[in-house]
Amino acid sequence: MSVEAIRSTLTMLERMHKSLLELAYKKTEIIKAGDIEALDQLLKDEQAHVAAIDKLEQQRQKQVTDYFEAKGLASTDNRTVADVIEAAEQQADKEALSAVRDRLLLIINNLRQQNDLNQKLVFQSLQIVNLTLDSLRPRTEQINYSSNEVRGTNTVVKKSYFDSQA
């Protein structure tokens, strides 16, 4: 396995994360507009992106494992691109991998920030909806219409509409 294949997979991961970041920016605008149908469609698009990213990530992990096995180094499941950068023999390979890795990390950080913002916007929207529903819902207040209630106990003297002594 070559460093070039790992770099190529990282480049594809970078593109997919960049596309996912663009969807996150669109999601912000959709949340602000309150368009539920568009949000539903966007969430489906996001799920497709996440599935593709997951496949690419599995491919990247396999390539890293294969790279270390081809070098005759003991491979563990915890090998990262940083380990490949350290193990790479040519300086050009190290620089190319570092550059792609740094761009990918930057995009992931931006994506995390945008998703945090979207989460806060959705939470605020839900608070507004709940506040609106609470203001429209009738309140059940305990109103005491009877003056025959015995204070200090839970029993109420019943007043009958029919007077049998009359």
Side-chain angles (χ1 to χ4, degrees):
M1 184 57 55
S2 70
V3 172
E4 181 61 33
I6 296 170
R7 189 188 65 73
S8 175
T9 302
L10 284 176
T11 302
M12 287 188 284
L13 276 167
E14 178 187 6
R15 285 185 200 133
M16 290 301 297
H17 278 87
K18 194 178 288 186
S19 177
L20 191 60
L21 180 59
E22 290 172 9
L23 287 177
Y25 289 137
K26 287 180 185 176
K27 186 193 288 184
T28 302
E29 297 306 316
I30 289 172
I31 292 170
K32 287 178 182 177
D35 189 356
I36 300 299
E37 290 81 21
L39 183 62
D40 186 46
Q41 181 59 44
L42 188 112
L43 290 174
K44 290 176 184 175
D45 293 344
E46 273 187 346
Q47 288 175 350
H49 275 72
V50 170
I53 288 171
D54 187 46
K55 285 182 182 180
L56 284 171
E57 179 59 23
Q58 289 174 4
Q59 179 181 343
R60 184 208 55 85
Q61 289 175 355
K62 183 173 180 350
Q63 288 173 340
V64 168
T65 302
D66 292 347
Y67 175 79
F68 282 105
E69 287 176 358
K71 286 206 161 266
L73 299 172
S75 179
T76 63
D77 291 336
N78 298 334
R79 294 287 188 165
T80 63
V81 173
D83 296 332
V84 175
I85 292 170
E86 288 179 23
E89 295 168 356
Q90 296 180 2
Q91 187 64 26
D93 290 340
K94 289 182 180 188
E95 290 173 2
L97 278 176
S98 291
V100 174
R101 178 179 171 263
D102 291 344
R103 289 191 312 261
L104 181 60
L105 289 174
L106 180 64
I107 291 169
I108 289 172
N109 188 38
N110 291 340
L111 183 59
R112 184 176 293 126
Q113 290 174 353
Q114 193 64 34
N115 282 336
D116 286 344
L117 174 65
N118 288 343
Q119 182 181 6
K120 289 175 184 174
L121 288 173
V122 168
F123 184 72
Q124 287 177 353
S125 295
L126 286 174
Q127 284 181 322
I128 291 170
V129 167
N130 284 333
L131 191 69
T132 304
L133 286 176
D134 286 344
S135 68
L136 295 176
R137 225 180 276 150
R139 293 196 175 110
T140 56
E141 296 180 20
Q142 294 181 351
I143 301 173
N144 189 3
Y145 289 109
S146 173
S147 62
N148 295 333
E149 181 177 337
V150 177
R151 297 190 186 251
T153 64
N154 290 336
T155 59
V156 176
V157 176
K158 293 183 181 180
K159 186 175 183 181
S160 175
Y161 291 108
F162 178 73
D163 189 4
S164 63
Q165 294 180 357

